[in-house]
């Protein structure tokens, strides 16, 4: 998991890896952007899907 996280940060240009030294935050790294409307929409969709899944699971357990 940690390697994956460092990979994401490296791809976003926020950290620099130094062979044999470690991974370091870039001095000139831009701050993270604020949450966008798209992210809020994704979260709302996930909440909706979770509610729908709970309903389906409840219906399936009633049918047993």
């Amino acid at each position: 998991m940690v390697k994956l996280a460092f990979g994401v940060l490296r791809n976003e240009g926020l950290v620099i890896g130094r062979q044999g030294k470690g991974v370091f935050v870039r001095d000139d790294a831009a701050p993270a952007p604020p949450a966008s409307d798209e992210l809020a929409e994704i979260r709302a969709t996930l909440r909706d899907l979770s509610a729908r899944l709970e309903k389906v699971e409840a219906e399936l357990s009633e049918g047993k």
Side-chain angles (χ1 to χ4, degrees):
M1 282 297 259
V2 174
K3 286 184 180 183
L4 179 63
F6 280 136
V8 170
L9 293 172
R10 188 177 297 113
N11 288 340
E12 292 181 5
L14 299 174
V15 297
I16 299 172
R18 301 274 191 229
Q19 185 68 27
K21 302 280 185 181
V23 179
F24 303 91
V25 176
R26 291 178 50 145
D27 288 337
D28 60 348
S36 67
D37 291 336
E38 185 177 345
L39 183 56
E41 184 178 336
I42 290 169
R43 287 181 175 152
T45 301
L46 285 172
R47 281 191 300 271
D48 178 57
L49 288 172
S50 293
R52 292 168 61 190
L53 179 59
E54 286 178 19
K55 181 179 177 182
V56 168
E57 289 174 336
E59 289 174 1
L60 287 174
S61 66
E62 289 174 3
K64 287 185 177 182

